């Protein structure tokens, strides 16, 4: 008997510069007549959002927008969005933006008319079967960053505003029916967002590659995704209007999210609680803890990293790879420690408990015991 596993792979992707022009046609193709464009506050006033609304409007689809979305979206944001969705009799969601807007757009589409609370659909066992699939609205995803890869995922992250816990909400129908990846939309990203989102894509590929689960399709995608980030993130950061580098980063971001079906690990289980408590940027937080996690996991991943380094053209095996990550981090002005991001030693016990509850723990190549996790947090300070 060989290996046995369940795999699920993504959706229709319209990839290339200028393809935002196809937005209205794709809305109509999936049956939307009154889409609601969900984005975040920062994007709402930018030309790319106006352009998207103009494209919808010109095709007779209206120009409705909801943008009350926090950087770490909460159920309060979702409920406000649902009010707007229902009041406007909308029939689909265009999720437009970075991970926060994409995730919240998905949550609105999911919860339009459900018999259960959103927390009853957390990614635990078969909880997703509690939802009525027939009432989930169609979703078109338009990423404007190259990071989370939420545009090719079947889940969204929502923060419980009472407990500050980030929860992963899952349903197969949260996979966008169509994703439009237009690198022109990412050109205006501030440099620190280009850096943070790019390092998020790298973290997804790196953790998936190191995860012990059996998923050779994801494993291969993770390796090539790492190559694309390492070759193109420095270019996109230094020369923001380099459309080729932007396109390659957009591909790497989608690949990261496809790859992490194989699992994530300690980078994410440390980063999620820090983001929930301190409202730090998710990808940047991943970048801060990445070297410490590599070091702690070294006994379990050294052989695998040596193989990756050879493929990536990095000399010196594990040590060479580690040095390359440190140099990349420095070149992108990533903070060196969690302490530099404002994390307090007094809260490490609480953050450790939150990290142990995070579903990403299960994909770490070394078991995330309480002592291991606490020591890892201390190293990150």
């Amino acid at each position: 008997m060989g290996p046995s596993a369940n795999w699920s792979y993504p959706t229709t992707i319209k990839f290339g510069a200028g393809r935002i022009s196809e937005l209205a046609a794709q809305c109509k193709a999936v049956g939307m007549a009154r889409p609601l464009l969900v984005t975040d506050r920062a994007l709402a006033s930018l030309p790319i959002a106006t352009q998207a609304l103009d494209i919808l409007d010109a095709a007779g689809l209206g120009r409705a927008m909801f943008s009350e979305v926090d950087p770490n979206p909460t159920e309060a944001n979702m409920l406000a969005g649902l009010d707007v969705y229902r009041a406007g009799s909308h029939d689909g969601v265009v999720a437009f933006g970075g991970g926060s807007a994409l995730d919240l757009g998905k949550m609105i589409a999911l919860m339009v008319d459900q018999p259960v609370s959103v927390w009853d659909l957390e990614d635990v066992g078969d909880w997703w079967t509690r939802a009525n699939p027939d009432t989930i609205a169609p979703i078109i995803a338009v990423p404007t960053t190259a990071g989370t890869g939420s545009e090719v995922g079947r889940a969204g992250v929502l923060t419980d505003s009472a407990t500050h816990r980030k929860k992963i909400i899952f349903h197969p129908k949260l996979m966008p029916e169509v994703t439009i990846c237009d690198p022109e939309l990412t050109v205006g990203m501030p440099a620190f967002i280009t850096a943070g989102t790019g390092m998020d894509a790298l973290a997804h590929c790196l953790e998936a590659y190191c995860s012990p689960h059996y998923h050779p399709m994801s494993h291969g995608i993770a390796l090539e995704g790492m190559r694309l980030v390492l070759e193109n993130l420095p270019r996109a950061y230094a020369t923001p209007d380099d459309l080729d580098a932007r396109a390659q980063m957009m591909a790497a971001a989608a690949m990261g999210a496809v790859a992490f079906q194989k699992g994530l690990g300690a980078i994410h289980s440390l980063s999620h609680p820090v983001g929930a408590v301190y409202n730090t940027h998710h990808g940047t937080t991943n970048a801060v803890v990445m070297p410490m996690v590599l070091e702690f996991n070294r006994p379990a991943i050294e052989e695998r990293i040596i193989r990756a380094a050879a493929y990536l053209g990095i000399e010196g095996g594990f040590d060479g790879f580690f040095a390359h990550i440190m140099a990349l981090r420095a070149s992108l002005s990533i903070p060196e420690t969690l302490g530099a991001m404002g994390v307090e030693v007094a809260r490490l016990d609480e953050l450790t408990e939150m990290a142990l509850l995070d579903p990403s723990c299960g994909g770490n190549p070394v078991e995330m015991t309480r002592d291991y996790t606490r020591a890892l947090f201390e190293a990150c300070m």
Side-chain angles (χ1 to χ4, degrees):
M1 282 292 289
S4 152
N6 301 321
W7 297 333
S8 167
Y9 261 56
T11 187
T12 302
I13 301 171
K14 308 290 182 184
F15 190 97
R19 298 198 69 173
I20 187 64
S21 63
E22 299 170 37
L23 178 59
Q26 296 304 330
C27 286
K28 289 178 176 175
V30 301
M32 294 185 202
R34 294 178 62 83
L36 176 64
L37 187 124
V38 176
T39 190
D40 62 53
R41 294 182 184 91
L43 275 177
S45 56
L46 293 183
I48 53 172
T50 309
Q51 175 194 18
L53 291 173
D54 288 345
I55 289 165
L56 294 173
D57 203 6
L61 299 178
R63 52 186 316 123
M65 178 167 69
F66 174 75
S67 62
E68 298 301 305
V69 179
D70 292 320
N72 289 300
T74 67
E75 83 283 1
N77 296 156
M78 179 190 78
L79 295 170
L82 284 167
D83 287 345
V84 171
Y85 186 95
R86 294 176 186 132
S89 305
H90 295 292
D91 58 4
V93 167
V94 174
F96 183 93
S100 305
L102 297 179
D103 283 4
L104 198 79
K106 290 177 177 179
M107 294 301 104
I108 292 169
L110 172 65
M111 297 306 296
V112 172
D113 186 17
Q114 287 300 345
V116 294
S117 143
V118 71
W119 306 126
D120 294 327
L121 302 177
E122 193 178 350
D123 190 9
V124 176
D126 63 355
W127 285 18
W128 63 270
T129 58
R130 299 166 172 179
N132 175 359
D134 302 328
T135 62
I136 300 173
I139 301 160
I140 288 182
V142 185
T144 63
T145 65
T148 67
S150 185
E151 65 274 9
V152 292
R154 297 162 301 147
V157 178
L158 200 62
T159 299
D160 183 333
S161 54
T163 63
H164 293 297
R165 262 196 72 203
K166 281 192 171 191
K167 296 185 179 178
I168 297 171
I169 310 299
F170 170 86
H171 194 282
K173 286 189 77 172
L174 288 181
M175 177 65 79
E177 296 196 35
V178 179
T179 289
I180 298 177
C181 284
D182 182 342
E184 289 181 357
L185 301 180
T186 68
V187 167
M189 268 194 291
F192 83 97
I193 298 289
T194 295
T197 53
M199 290 299 283
D200 193 24
L202 179 61
H204 293 158
C205 293
L206 176 60
E207 291 214 281
Y209 178 75
C210 293
S211 158
H213 302 313
Y214 181 72
H215 202 325
M217 295 160 81
S218 277
H219 195 74
I221 289 172
L223 188 57
E224 177 66 1
M226 279 195 277
R227 185 185 72 80
L228 290 179
V229 175
L230 295 178
E231 291 184 8
N232 293 284
L233 179 54
R235 288 171 54 205
Y237 184 75
T239 317
D241 56 358
D242 181 336
L243 270 183
D244 182 62
R246 291 289 190 186
Q248 303 292 2
M249 283 305 300
M250 210 155 210
M255 290 163 74
V258 173
F260 74 58
Q261 293 190 29
K262 183 168 172 271
L264 289 167
I267 293 175
H268 275 77
S269 44
L270 266 60
S271 173
H272 283 149
V274 171
V277 173
Y278 289 98
N279 226 15
T280 55
H281 182 266
H282 170 68
T284 309
T285 315
N286 282 345
V288 171
V289 303
M290 187 180 288
M292 298 72 160
V293 173
L294 275 170
E295 217 159 26
F296 268 60
N297 286 343
R298 180 171 186 160
I301 63 174
E302 181 149 13
E303 286 304 311
R304 196 166 273 190
I305 293 292
I306 289 169
R307 287 202 300 275
Y311 176 73
L312 298 167
I314 295 169
E315 290 179 9
F318 184 95
D319 291 326
F321 182 84
F322 185 88
H324 195 89
I325 296 296
M326 290 298 280
L328 175 65
R329 224 176 58 136
S331 73
L332 300 172
S333 300
I334 301 289
E336 288 186 21
T337 62
L338 288 179
M341 293 187 95
V343 176
E344 303 141 297
V345 174
R347 299 193 73 167
L348 290 190
D349 284 337
E350 176 191 353
L351 291 170
T352 298
E353 295 309 313
M354 291 171 76
L356 292 169
L357 290 170
D358 193 89
S360 305
C361 275
N364 200 59
V366 177
E367 190 195 346
M368 301 275 295
T369 61
R370 183 168 276 102
D371 288 347
Y372 189 85
T373 306
R374 169 74 203 222
L376 191 43
F377 264 122
E378 283 172 13
C380 294
M381 295 298 286

